[in-house]
Structure formats: C-alpha cells, structure tokens
Amino acid sequence: MTDSKMLPHLKVLYIEDDDMTREELARYLKKRVGQLMVAENCDKALSFLDKETADLIITDLRMPGMNGLQLIAHLRALGNQTPVIITSAFSDSETILQAVDLGIVKYVVKPIALDDLMKAMSDVAATTFKQQGTYVFNDTPILERESKLELEK
C-alpha cells in the first residue's frame, strides 16, 4: 500500500465509539494525515466542528446518542458540505442508500480494508485541492492557483 502524498495536507475528524477500534485506526491515521481530531461520539465531534474545520470526516454509523447518519444530516442542514466516509459493520442496502442520499463519499464496511480507506481519502484530498485551486502533480500538491499564475507571468 502506498500512502498519498496529499494526505499530510488534510485535516481529518474521526468519530468512533469503540475504544479499541478508535485507538487503532487513530494511531494509523495520525501518521498519515496533517491533523487528526478524534471523537468518541457525535456530540464531541460537533464540539470540535464548532471550533475547527475539517477537510474530511470519517465516522462510525451506529453509536449511542446521535448516530453517524443523524450527524451528517445535521451538518448538511447547517450548510456544512465536508466530505464524509462512513465506517460500519452493517451493510444493509437501506442504510447505504440513506448515507448516499446525504452525500457521503464512501461507505467502508468493517473490518476496515485500509487500502479502500486510503484510496477514498486520497480521492477526497485530490478533490479538495482542486476546489481550492491547488495543482497536484504525481499525487503531490505543488502550486496554488495564484502562485501558478504568478510563475507563468
């Protein structure tokens, strides 16, 4: 597995209620992304998002209190269009369709295949940089639009 050179430029919010799963994936992600915020529930995640922005949200689906779908619906109602990857042990088609309707990027079934997750995260990074006007070459963000125009002059 090759890690994207774009991931160190991402700010990621990871939400998981299971302690062991959260600690294991957080340790893995922390080495690969620019900034990782970790929350054990959606209330804590919303608290983070009140103070910070995220380039990507990775959330478990089923959690006590507010679940992942409710969190996404809440964020979308507020106008927050941050890309979301859902992780879940459940793969029933009704839940997946609800998630797709809320505009998720990827639905990753647990146990998480790290290759699938890294690919989805790289795709989000590429889209994010493109929307920000940053040019990417060989999977590396190299130049913001303004810098490119200045260089061309």
Side-chain angles (χ1 to χ4, degrees):
M1 170 188 349
T2 55
D3 292 330
S4 170
K5 295 174 186 164
M6 292 181 282
L7 296 182
H9 302 275
L10 282 185
K11 189 187 304 185
V12 177
L13 172 58
Y14 173 47
I15 311 152
E16 170 63 58
D17 64 318
D18 181 75
D19 294 338
M20 194 165 94
T21 302
R22 184 179 60 248
E23 289 170 17
E24 188 175 315
L25 189 57
R27 191 175 316 113
Y28 180 83
L29 292 173
K30 203 173 276 190
K31 296 175 185 174
R32 289 160 176 82
V33 301
Q35 182 179 348
L36 181 66
M37 299 172 281
V38 181
E40 63 273 1
N41 58 50
C42 292
D43 290 334
K44 179 87 172 187
L46 289 171
S47 177
F48 275 126
L49 292 173
D50 281 343
K51 301 174 196 114
E52 298 276 342
T53 59
D55 298 314
L56 171 65
I57 297 170
I58 302 171
T59 184
D60 187 18
L61 184 62
R62 306 255 167 106
M63 295 178 277
M66 182 185 287
N67 68 37
L69 289 179
Q70 293 167 327
L71 172 71
I72 299 165
H74 177 77
L75 292 174
R76 298 302 186 244
L78 294 173
N80 184 323
Q81 296 301 315
T82 302
V84 177
I85 296 173
I86 287 183
T87 62
S88 180
F90 302 95
S91 61
D92 63 282
S93 58
E94 183 179 327
T95 302
I96 294 171
L97 289 174
Q98 287 177 338
V100 168
D101 287 345
L102 290 170
I104 66 158
V105 175
K106 180 86 172 167
Y107 193 104
V108 179
V109 178
K110 293 177 182 176
I112 296 170
L114 294 176
D115 284 340
D116 289 347
L117 181 61
M118 291 294 100
K119 169 75 169 95
M121 291 175 67
S122 294
D123 291 347
V124 167
T127 301
T128 299
F129 289 125
K130 183 177 179 182
Q131 290 171 344
Q132 293 172 349
T134 300
Y135 292 85
V136 176
F137 179 73
N138 283 342
D139 201 28
T140 305
I142 55 169
L143 214 51
E144 293 181 1
R145 186 176 192 286
E146 294 78 24
S147 300
K148 179 185 179 287
L149 293 174
E150 186 65 33
L151 186 63
E152 288 174 347
K153 286 181 186 177

